[in-house]
């Protein structure tokens, strides 16, 4: 059963895509929690950080390189937050690894 994000990667459901390459895709969150809220999603179907192995380290590093590129593209010069939610207690709702990029306003810390 493909995840929602696999369907976005396959263009089976629409999304506001802001970046794509051979390893990942980035699109705007449908329910943004900040003025900029982009999800950076690997094309490899990993469920969460729990699923990441040493072999995936270059891919996960690449997600952060893309996150920084998107932050610059979005003009987030005052800072931004990158977040992987893992599991239910962290609020993960889509079981396909994704890096949140949030910015455009001051973000509270610690998170709720
Ligand atoms: P999580 O809660 O798993 O860390 O993050 C999943 C994110 O996916 C949520 O912020 C949610 O708003 C977003 N989301 C859920 N369904 C869709 C969708 O159909 N399209 C887009 N662009 N984002 C979605």
């Amino acid at each position: 059963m493909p995840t929602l994000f696999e369907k976005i990667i396959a263009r089976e459901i629409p999304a506001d895509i802001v970046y794509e390459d051979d390893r990942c895709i980035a699109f705007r969150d449908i329910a943004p929690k900040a003025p900029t809220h982009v999800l950076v999603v690997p094309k490899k179907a990993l469920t969460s950080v729990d699923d990441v192995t040493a072999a995936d380290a270059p891919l996960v590093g690449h997600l952060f390189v893309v996150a920084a590129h998107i932050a610059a593209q979005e003009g987030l010069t005052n800072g931004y937050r990158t977040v992987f939610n893992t599991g239910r207690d962290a609020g993960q709702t889509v079981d396909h690894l994704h890096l949140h990029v949030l910015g455009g306003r001051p973000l509270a810390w610690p998170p709720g």
Side-chain angles (χ1 to χ4, degrees), residues 4-5 8 13-16 27-33 37 39 85 90-95 98 100:
L4 181 62
F5 291 171
I8 289 175
I13 60 173
D16 185 356
F27 49 86
R28 295 190 193 283
D29 196 292
I30 204 167
K33 314 302 186 292
H37 188 174
L39 305 172
N85 291 323
Q92 184 176 4
T93 57
V94 178
D95 289 333
H98 50 282
H100 294 258

Side-chain angles (χ1 to χ4, degrees), residues 11 20 31 41 50 85 89 98 100 105 111:
R11 305 296 202 278
E20 183 171 20
V41 179
D50 274 342
N85 291 323
D89 275 4
H98 50 282
H100 294 258
R105 66 168 172 81

Side-chain angles (χ1 to χ4, degrees), residues 10-86:
R11 305 296 202 278
E12 289 169 14
I13 60 173
D16 185 356
I17 296 166
V18 297
Y19 177 90
E20 183 171 20
D21 63 27
D22 58 325
R23 287 181 281 174
C24 71
I25 190 167
F27 49 86
R28 295 190 193 283
D29 196 292
I30 204 167
K33 314 302 186 292
T36 292
H37 188 174
V38 171
L39 305 172
V40 186
V41 179
K43 292 183 176 177
K44 181 175 179 180
L46 297 162
T47 301
S48 74
V49 170
D50 274 342
D51 220 13
V52 171
T53 68
D56 299 311
L59 172 61
V60 174
H62 180 64
L63 301 182
F64 282 102
V65 171
V66 170
H69 169 79
I70 289 164
Q73 189 172 276
E74 296 285 318
L76 300 179
T77 52
N78 283 335
Y80 57 94
R81 187 167 293 164
T82 45
V83 178
F84 286 111
N85 291 323
T86 304

